[in-house]
Structure formats: structure tokens, C-alpha cells
Amino acid sequence: MPETLIKVDLTQSAYDNEMVHNRWHPDIPMVATVSPGDDFIIETYDWTGGFIKNNDDASDVRDIDLSIVHFLSGPIGVKGAEPGDLLVVDLLDVGAKPESQWGFNGFFSKQNGGGFLTDHFPQAQKSIWDFEGLFTKSRHIPGVRFAGLVHPGLIGCLPDKTLLDTWNTRETGLIATNPTRVPGLANPPFGPTAHMGKMTAGKEGAAAEAARTVPPREHGGNCDIKDLSRGSKIYFPVYVPGAGLSMGDLHFSQGDGEITFCGAIEMAGWLHIKVDLIKDGMAKYGIRNPIFKPSPITPNYNDYLIFEGISVDEQGAQHYLDVTVAYRQACLNAIEYLKKFGYSGAQAYSILGTAPVQGHVSGVVDVPNACATLWLPTQIFEFDINPSAAGPTRFITGDVDMPLAPDLA
Amino acid sequence: MPETLIKVDLTQSAYDNEMVHNRWHPDIPMVATVSPGDDFIIETYDWTGGFIKNNDDASDVRDIDLSIVHFLSGPIGVKGAEPGDLLVVDLLDVGAKPESQWGFNGFFSKQNGGGFLTDHFPQAQKSIWDFEGLFTKSRHIPGVRFAGLVHPGLIGCLPDKTLLDTWNTRETGLIATNPTRVPGLANPPFGPTAHMGKMTAGKEGAAAEAARTVPPREHGGNCDIKDLSRGSKIYFPVYVPGAGLSMGDLHFSQGDGEITFCGAIEMAGWLHIKVDLIKDGMAKYGIRNPIFKPSPITPNYNDYLIFEGISVDEQGAQHYLDVTVAYRQACLNAIEYLKKFGYSGAQAYSILGTAPVQGHVSGVVDVPNACATLWLPTQIFEFDINPSAAGPTRFITGDVDMPLAPDLA
Amino acid sequence: MPETLIKVDLTQSAYDNEMVHNRWHPDIPMVATVSPGDDFIIETYDWTGGFIKNNDDASDVRDIDLSIVHFLSGPIGVKGAEPGDLLVVDLLDVGAKPESQWGFNGFFSKQNGGGFLTDHFPQAQKSIWDFEGLFTKSRHIPGVRFAGLVHPGLIGCLPDKTLLDTWNTRETGLIATNPTRVPGLANPPFGPTAHMGKMTAGKEGAAAEAARTVPPREHGGNCDIKDLSRGSKIYFPVYVPGAGLSMGDLHFSQGDGEITFCGAIEMAGWLHIKVDLIKDGMAKYGIRNPIFKPSPITPNYNDYLIFEGISVDEQGAQHYLDVTVAYRQACLNAIEYLKKFGYSGAQAYSILGTAPVQGHVSGVVDVPNACATLWLPTQIFEFDINPSAAGPTRFITGDVDMPLAPDLA
Amino acid sequence: MPETLIKVDLTQSAYDNEMVHNRWHPDIPMVATVSPGDDFIIETYDWTGGFIKNNDDASDVRDIDLSIVHFLSGPIGVKGAEPGDLLVVDLLDVGAKPESQWGFNGFFSKQNGGGFLTDHFPQAQKSIWDFEGLFTKSRHIPGVRFAGLVHPGLIGCLPDKTLLDTWNTRETGLIATNPTRVPGLANPPFGPTAHMGKMTAGKEGAAAEAARTVPPREHGGNCDIKDLSRGSKIYFPVYVPGAGLSMGDLHFSQGDGEITFCGAIEMAGWLHIKVDLIKDGMAKYGIRNPIFKPSPITPNYNDYLIFEGISVDEQGAQHYLDVTVAYRQACLNAIEYLKKFGYSGAQAYSILGTAPVQGHVSGVVDVPNACATLWLPTQIFEFDINPSAAGPTRFITGDVDMPLAPDLA
């Protein structure tokens, strides 16, 4: 086996592991150096550093301090990498830690981050998913079982100072438009919970300006693209000498959009990756954001039931070519459908967040309505979910549901 | 062969064919009646009724009066269909008219409808695509050839009066927020160019309130979903007795989003369909919009190059979880990439509008950035478009481009 | 539409159409000439020239004189084609004749040709399959419906005299080893029923030596490869100046092996093809038999139930690495399985002959047993055919079966 | 992680591990007992027990004593399993041993077992394949790299005494027809190298009659079916109380037929499996051989170049509907083709034995010629192997080849 460059001990706090960091800043020191053509192993915490537990109590999802996420392993320095290059990353394999064959999914309370459907599911809930080799199922959501499309939710290179400043300027600008909104419009830098890896000199100042890891940005980062799965190949823009590749937030599986926010099926694990360079690749190919090629080994569930949504919201208000609204309607339509088979709304929501659901931008020019589609794979269900003249059979009896932790007064 | 219920003569004006209409209204008379279980053929005009010609001059795209579209064949009455039912439609086959083995794609002038990237491509351009059996290619865009994912862009049942009123209220309300915007936020009812099919009594009043056909709505309509392809099965809500199914706007192929607006590869053609009913299906399955199952016969291009976009616009402005903005960035990124191989921007834009490109809602909770991905199938190109250390080869020499018709002063 | 070079009138005898022939001989005159790059339409009879009828009586399958088959359309001359070239054929589209939207499948009596399982099904039976656009189903075999993988069973170029002599020598040699076997080991030349197209001078002599069309040979010919489907691209060896491409024996669908022999779902129809040349391609690529690339548009049924067979025959006799015996066992195993759901053996046999079943050479070195597998797509059934602890449900009630015509005394 | 029921130490002789055996006999003692519903890990040796080394010398392939194979882990007893049941085995995951990330492929000398093309490649050669996560490549065969379709070549339940006797009778009967043939027609029982696991009492007698593991048989066994890959589900006939499931001969990847015999890409590794029962399943479903469902996670290489072969052998001799001969011709045709790109014949042969090549029984009724097809995935090559008018480019320079060990005098 190739060398494991970064190890994580799940019994140890992520803050005590200096090969881990939870902010983006150009001055975070490299923790290891590799050469183009090298392959190696990187271990990672789950995105919360172990805060969410494998139990039937959602209070951890309710109570988490989200300023601590995401715990990333890295940065890895690549010899010869210079700003303007493309760092080519082969995800040769990705998996769960052998001692931790489970993951979690949930939705945050609207008071603490929420999720895509937070107005409909405003309180914290979670589901636990057990892994059986390449497959997963949940004790909280009967009747579904599927192969994982395992992937890192978050991966990318360190920004340079200019890019970091751009991020901070535009995001704090957005926050300023509605600073008291709950949940917040964005997450500003926050020094107290920053983990700056091996940084010592200048750490406090850097932590105060380091970018939070929540959003995807120009460098990739927290893209939460389910198709960056094991076997895929990614081309990342390089901004600092040595590139500084970091990664984490591993998902056993996720639906397009990661609508549940907390999140996909979140897990601790490892990546076997290989790196290479395309010198001056950003200019050669006109690259602004990462590009990638999907894996030849993705689960081939190809029978779908597809739900449409348009950009008229739940209250009937008309939005102009708004795919976000349209996709929300498609999600809500799918949830209503699944409830007819006996699922609770929360269970249905969780299925959409975890299973290899596709979300397509189907029509985006027919004013004033965008049209989005949600593709639900039928083969992940242990019963037939297709429509028929007889109407749905309630295969799900409702005797189990997802734990809920009510907001504290 | 099954009976052809509606015929169209491409040499005749669509306005002279009373089995065609271009507005939605509950009182448009049925032009034929079928029973559940029947299969039959419907012919259709292209969406413009023949206005766009197979030539090398884009002035027709510039000059079209968009109040005339879309010319739909129908409505077909289905015996026994009642409000609340689901009308099950099997698209047994769809094709181009034998005498019209070509289609068009283009972008409207920003003065006359525009398109998804109208700020970047503000003037009218078009490309003509010739069909070779199951495949298509364009004399205006060298180096690409692909199998068609043939489908109707527009299909659905007549609204009832309540639904029609809802549409008009919300869309005119949107227009009122910025009535002079160019292009307009939506299209209000407009009597003068309405084609109300066989309607005689009350025609003028109905035409003045009939809904325009541009947007997708609750009943389906102009969803422009490329995956409603031949072989697929759709479940439509029924609002009026007899259902009143109409269809048109056939596409030989389209990319997710139909970003070029004029449009996909637009063509005149025919559909072989079969209808059935699920009585009271809307309540049984909790249906608000159509649902469907894709075809087992879709082209299996499965090697993709995937472009990411985030919800920071071209000017660097931050948008909050806006998938529309994110998808626009992914499109722009793909266009820049393709230009490195020699394509003009317009050609690249047209490829994204016509080829079986996927647009995914990849991340929609990581505040403040949505992440969208555009999946470009590599196998449609006659050369290798993958990145390499050597950089791109300009296979496209630039000696042909898409005709452009400058705005008139 | 492109020009139709060869037309067939299904109400006319194939013998009266001089653009048709039913033997292979280098001197059969070309009926049309095309240039590399041309595309055109060719119509064809079904392989029996209309002998098998759309009815519920299998006596035609029992009584057919098999020396009349196959009626092929051609030969087409290609300008510039010379021996040693590769003729590149794009199957741009293939379909049934509009006035003949049905096909037949059956097994011959063991007295008249038999089939792969003739010892188990020794008498003539047939099933009729109706086409519904891209799909087919049979009134004689309930519970199955699938999309067609439409293809020509027979296509190839004229042999030269040397190749023809080789064929005759080796096949008559085989016959001589057991000349009275029923069914025969091969079919020798037979002048009386030969149709030599436009040939006049020397016709009688040529007919007496012309090769029968039954077997696949070096030039391709009756390969009955289901994957030469519409959208595929084939590279044929050229033996005579002008190539002389002929084709026929269209199938709406077929399982690997065409085990029922009469045959796949046999139909009259048309092909839209395009031709090109690779000069001296046989030597350049070391080609002895045709090679091809499959279509990007094949039905994506990908959930299979797979049956194994080994080279121990039904009587328990051991054969040495004999894939033919192994595949026969896999077929018999699948038939026994399907009978548990209520199908008659004949119906199950017919499903294996018509549906897009795969037959794989799975193991061919583990002495003394070859292992073959038969892949039955589960999605073609209207009920669940997967094994379960509860055992099979007999969805098929047995009230319809395939017509059988007993051998005459 | 689930419990590892059987461990193997690759530094220890397989003969010293009593949880391993290399013969089939009903009296081999169970080494562990599980219940229906349990999942667990089984480790295995490579099929030769470590005889073939990761080096550049093929003398081990030449010199191996094939009476020692295959070293299987098991048998596992399943509570409640009785003769006539079906043992349902989920292959939840399969992988290489972490300390042994490589595999071998080769062909035996014709003097010692040979292979499918032994007349063309009569001497021992081997290639070594390194694993990079989910992918593999070989230092002996440049230009190919592919994802593994990892699977056990050999898995099945213990025979009862009746079945064992049947095997011995029919195989020794075959041998008797030509007892001096090289290579032999089959492998008779051979006590001296038998490894009977934990058996003590009666061991010598049992070893003398125990069946060799080479051929696939009614129980499954050495089927070498590449599609029994991780994620698949298999239904095995049960013959003895407790079932007695054994497995081994893991392959990282294999082409249909395992034509190279030594073998696929052979490796030591582990399986994570789950077992269940269908009581009386053999009768319920008419089962004679195992049936299975393939994995939803197979590599989706779907662009193929397909080679045909017919049942006329290399010397021009005519065989009657012999798929084995036809598949051999398809293999030889593919090898000639690949040689045009610079591969040695041995390298091409090895690619066909290791890559996810499909072998189809395409036509098996068109007397006298069977037609078989070999499907070569084009996406595994690092260069374009499609035919073109320009002819092939020799991407492979021939500076490396597979080690060959000449037969000793």
C-alpha cells in the first residue's frame, strides 16, 4: 500500500491534530510534500470532527457549533506547482475508516443553519446509516438500500491572498445586506474556533481573516458534488507555490444539492489519491473553476421516477427563472409522493439528501419559469414505487422515524 | 400504422390549421377524441410554424414575432378523463417529418427575447442541423455529431379556468414589477396573434385572456425537458373533462436548460403516443406537477468533461444560493474551454444548447454559494477534448461560423 | 429524405423483384451504384419473403421450404471499392415497413431445420409480435414488453470466386461426414430456388454453385448479431470490385444466439445507411472478419438475472470445453425458471430468442467444462421475476400459448 | 468492521492453514458457522497459494505443479441450511490484501496446462499488474489502464457424495477417451497434493476421491465469471447440511473466458459477504446451477470495438455450430488487430485475458457456423484504437514485452 501521509485518530480531538485545519488561508503551512506522479493515502475526520454520534438522539445535530467545521486534512505541497498551473488529482479510491463503518445525515434547526427545506423541517433531526461493504441502509429509514457513490464533499487548493480578500469582501458584503437573518446569509471569518494547522507565527491574525470552509468557491472547496466520486479525475487551479491541497467532508453517498445540509451521509475515512501537474493549465484551458471527469465506476441505477418543479414557490409567488426555487418545488413534490407510501416527511427528505438522486436544470429560458427536475432512482427501494392505476401501497408502516431534537426554549 | 389524428402541412400557415392552437384556455375545443388504451399519431409544426428557414441568414431569428408561438397540435379529448385524474402518456416514438430532415438552433437578439447568455451574445444568430437517421450535425458548427434525444419541448393538458386565472394573476403581477424591462419578465395574454383552434363562439374574449405558451407551469407545458424523450412515460394532471392533451415544439436534441432559447434543435415532426388513465391519480400520489419515467433508449454517452459554476456572477457579485447564476457560470466556463479548441463563442454556446449536455444542481445549501455543474459529453466530438499536459490542439480552424443578423438601427 | 435505392412491394413475390437475391455469388450484378460518403435507403423483405403470416396458425413455419431464404436487397456497388479495402457502413437508422408493423418468431420442426433446442421443442410453433413505436409485445406471450434493438440479421459484401469455392468445399465436406442427418449439417448449393437478382447470362451455372445464405462467413453475412443495431458502424472486407453490399433479414429484436432460429422477431423493413471506404484496410488492420462498433443508442436494460450452464449435456454426458453445450444448458436453465412463473416452455424459449438477452462465453479454459451465462433482463417483464424466500408467484395464467403445428404424418 | 472468520498469512504455506482446502469433498469439516443474515470477512490466498511471484521471470508459471490448486477458504457452515435450499450470497465487497497490491496473469506452457490459444502461445509467459486503488496497469504491457471488476473466480458449496461420484465418473470417463493427451482432457482426483482442511479421520481415502477444483460444475465452483463482481448477489444450490461455502481464486479483473488460464489478474485478498437462505429454493425455482444478479457498480466502459469469429478454425476446417472455435477466432482476430498498434501477440493475448472484455454467443443456429463476438472496450487504452482511413499508428514501441520462460529440454 502507498504511504499514509496524514493519519487521524478518531478518539482524539481534531484540534489536537496539526495536520488538520478548518479555515482557508494562504499561510497555513504544508504538512507534507509530494512530487507529481506520486500516489498516497490521506485520512480525514468527518466534517464535524466527531461531534455527531452514532445514536438515536438528534440533540448533537441541534447543538453543534458550526463555526468549527470543516476539519480538513492538509495542506499537501506538490513540488513544482506554481500559480496558474492545474493540479490533476486522481481519486484512486475513497473509503470509510475500518473502525467507523457508519455515517450520519440530518437537518439542522432553522436556528442553527437550517437546510434547503428548513421552512418545512425547522427542527433538528438525524438518521444513522450503516455500511455493508459497498452498500448502506439506515435503521431510521426502512425500505431503502443502495450502493455508495463515495466522494469527498470538500477538496481544493489554498487561495492566495488576493483571492482570499476577494472572498471576504464579497461575502461580508452580502452579510451586510441583512446581518440579523436567521440562518445567516454567509459565514464571516471567526478566529476563536479556527484551527490553523501547523501555523504558529502570525496565527491569530491569520485566523481572524481566514475564510470559512462552508461555500464552494473558485478553487473548488466545499462543492459537495456527488460525482467527484472514487475513480474520478479533477483539475484544480493552483494559486500558491506548492498548491496546498486539502480535503475532507467525506460522503458515503449524497443526492444532488446535498439538500439536507447535515449533510450527505457524513463519515470519517481515507482517500487514496495521485497528483500530477499541467503547467500553466489555467491559461491553456481558460480555467476559472475546477473541471473534472467522472468515474467509470458509478452505480448504474438507471430507472428513475422524475419530479418536476417550476419557479413558483410554495406560497404561489412567482419568481423569475429561479432554478433554486424550482428545484425546491421538485424536492417537495417528491416528498409528497413518498409520503403516500408511508414515509414521514423527514424520512423522505433524508432519502433525497442521501441517495444518488439527480437534480437537473431542465429549462432556464422560458420566462418567467425555470424548470428543475429531481430524478429518484427506483432501484434503491425494496418495493415498487412506480405509479399504477391501483394507487400506492403503504409498504412503510411508520413504526420507526428519525429522531428529532426540539429547539430549546 | 396507427391512425394519424392530426396532420400538418408544412406548406400551409399554421393559422389555417384548426387542429392547431397557440394559447392555453379551457374552452379551446377538442379536435379529436380517443379512449384509454388507444395509440395514435400526431403531427406538429415546429414551434414557430415554419418561420425559421433552412438557410444561412439569421434575420428570421432576429425578426420573428414571438407572440405567435408555440403552435401546438390538439387538444385531444380522452374519454372518461376527469379533473383530478392522471393522464398517462407513453411516447412510443417521436420523429422529424420525412420531408423536413433538419432543424434549427439560435439565440434571439436581446431586443427580442434574448437567451440565457444574452448579455454575452446579444445579437441574433442561428445554426442549421441536418439529420442523418438517428444522428445530427451542422454545417455551421464543425467537429460535433451526435445521436438525437428526440422529444417534445411542450406537452400538457388544458388548464381549467381557476388555474388559468392563477397563471395570469401571478405572471402579470411579475411583469408589473418592471414593465419596461427588455427582454420582458414574462409574456401577458395577447389576443391579436392568438390561434384558438376550432373555437368560434366567445373566441375574442378567450383569446384576450388565454395564457401564453412560453413558460412551464403546473400542467407541464413548455418544460423543455430533454429527457421526455421517445420511449418515456409521463403522468399529467387533468384539469378539465376530457383532459385536452396538446403538444408541439419538437426537439431533435437539447442540452439541459435549453440555454440558447431559439431553442434546442427545433423541428417539425410527429409523435406516436398512447394514452391511459389513473383515476383520481392526483390525490392518490400527491401530484402537483407532472412526473415521468425516462426512456430505456437514451443515448449512452457516458464520458463527460464537467464544468463547475458558483453563484458569483461574471462581475464578481455575490448571489445567495442562486442556482441560475451558478449554472450560467458553468456554461460560461465551458464556452471558454471550447474556444481554446478553435470554436467561436457562439458555436460553443450552440453546442451547449443542442447536444445532450447535463446541467446538475450540485450543491444548494453551502451558504452563500450554490454550485451547479455542466456535463459535456466528450464522445460527441470528432476530436479529443480532454485536458492534457501539452495543452489544447485547435482542431477547429474557424473558417465557418454561425450566421449573425445585427440588430437593425 | 435520402433516395430509396431499392424498393420492395410486400404484395409482390420476392422472386419478381430483380433488386433482390437469395444466394451469394461474385457475378450477381450490382443493382445500384453509390459513392463513398453517400447515404441512402434500402428496403427489404422479411427473410422468408412474406411466407410467414400474421395469424395464429404455425403451419407456415412447419411447411416453409428453407431453400428459398434469405431474400436480400442488393448488391450495391460502391465506386472505388477494391478487393482488400474495408467498406465502412453506418447504420444510420433501421425500421419496419410502415404498412407492416409486426414480426414473427418461431421454431422449425426438427424435420425442417429445427433450432437450438430442437430436441426439447421438436415441432413447429410461432409467436407474432406487434410493434408499438419503439416497443414490442406478443399476443401469444403475455407479461413481456420491450424496446427493440433493431438490426439486420444479414449484411455483407459479395465473395470473390476463390472465397466462394472455399465455402463450398468446406461445407460440402462437412455434409459428407453425415449426409442424411436431420436436420442437415449444412446447406449445399441448390439451383432450383436460387434468385440471382439481375443475372441473365450464365445464370443457371452460377445458381448451381452459388452459396446459400444461412451461415455467417468471412464476409459477415448471416451473423445474426443483435448488436449490429441502428446507430452502429461496421467495417466489411471487400472481395470484388465495387464491394457489392447486400442486406436483409431485419430483426426488431433478438437474443444472443438467435436460438429459436425462426428466428429473432423477423420483419420486413428498411435501412438508412451511409458508406465509406478505408483503402487497403484489410491489411492495414489485419482484418479477416468484419469488425464493428455498437450503437450509442441501445436499450439500457441493466438489471439482469443470470443463468449459468456448463458443458455437461442434458443427459449428463461430459463435453470438453464446449461452449455450445454450455450455452444450451444455460438456456434450458432459464426456461425451467420462467416456467415457475407460469410460462409454457415454448413461451420461455421464445422470450430467450426475441428479447435483448445476452449470452456470454464466461469460462473457456477450466477443463473439461466451459461455462456460459445467459443474461435475462428483468425490466422487460411486467412483474417481478427475481427470486425471493416466498417463492415464485404464477403471474402467467396459461390461458394463452403459442400456436403449434404438429408434424404431418 | 464485521468479524474476519478466516485469515490467511501470505508468508505461510497454504498447506499449513487448516481453514483452507484445495479439493471438493462432502466430508471436509466446516471451519466456522454463521447464521442467515450474518455478514463477515473471509481472507484468501491467490489460487496458487503464493507460488507465482511479483518479478520479471516466468519460470514460476512454467514450473508450477497444477495439482496444488486452487487454495480455497472455507467451508463455512450456515445454520439451518439443508440440501435443496438456495444459499443467497451477497458479495458486499471484495478486495486485494493491503500488503499485496498486485496480481499476475500468464499462460502456461502447452506441456503444463496450456491455455485457450496454446497452439499459438505454447510457452510460459507472465505479466504483473500493479493496483492503484480501483485501477490497474502492468509494467509489461504499456498503454492500458482500467478499473477492476473485482470478483472471486471460484465460489460454491460442498457437493454431496452422489454429486461427487457423478463428477468423478463423467470426468474420468472423458479422460479415458484420450488419456495421454497434452494438455490433459481433465484432472482426475489426486491424493498426494490434496489439502483437506481440518479433516483428520478418513483423510487419505477422501483425498483420493475428492474432486479437483479446476472445472465449474453444478454447484458453481470455478466458474470464472467476471460478473460475479463485488456488489453482486448469488443463489447457490445446497447439497449438504450446513451448505459448506468455500471461495478463493480472487481476480482483480478478467475478460470473458479467462482465456489466458493463468489466469485473470490473480491475487490474494478478502471478501466481505452476507448469507441468507431460500428454503427449498432449488425446487421452487427449478435451479440446477447457481443463478445471480450482477452488481450495480460495474465499470461502465461502453464504447467497444467488436471482433467476430466463426466456427471455421485457423486451418480452415469447418466445425458444426461450435462456439468455442468461433470465440477462438474472434480472439485471434482481436490479437492481429492489436499487433498493428505495436503490441506483441503475447501482450495482446494478455489484454484479452485481463481487461473487462466481453465474449458473446452471437449466433448459434445458422448451420454450420456459430458466430461469436469479442467486445474490446476502447476506453481502457491510453490511445485511440479505432480504425481510420489513415491506418493505425504504432503507439506501442515494443521496447518492453512479457517475460517468457522457454520449456526445459
Side-chain angles (χ1 to χ4, degrees), chain D residues 14-36:
Chain D
Y15 282 103
D16 294 338
N17 187 328
E18 63 175 13
M19 300 181 99
V20 165
H21 61 107
N22 69 359
R23 294 292 189 275
W24 291 113
H25 194 283
D27 298 337
I28 297 173
M30 306 292 175
V31 299
T33 302
V34 298
S35 295

Side-chain angles (χ1 to χ4, degrees), chain C residues 216 224 256 321 324 360 366, chain D residues 224 256 292 321 324 360 366 369:
Chain C
D224 286 322
D256 269 350
L321 295 183
T324 309
H360 281 244
D366 300 315
Chain D
D224 286 322
D256 269 350
F292 69 100
L321 296 182
T324 309
H360 282 244
D366 300 315
N369 280 332

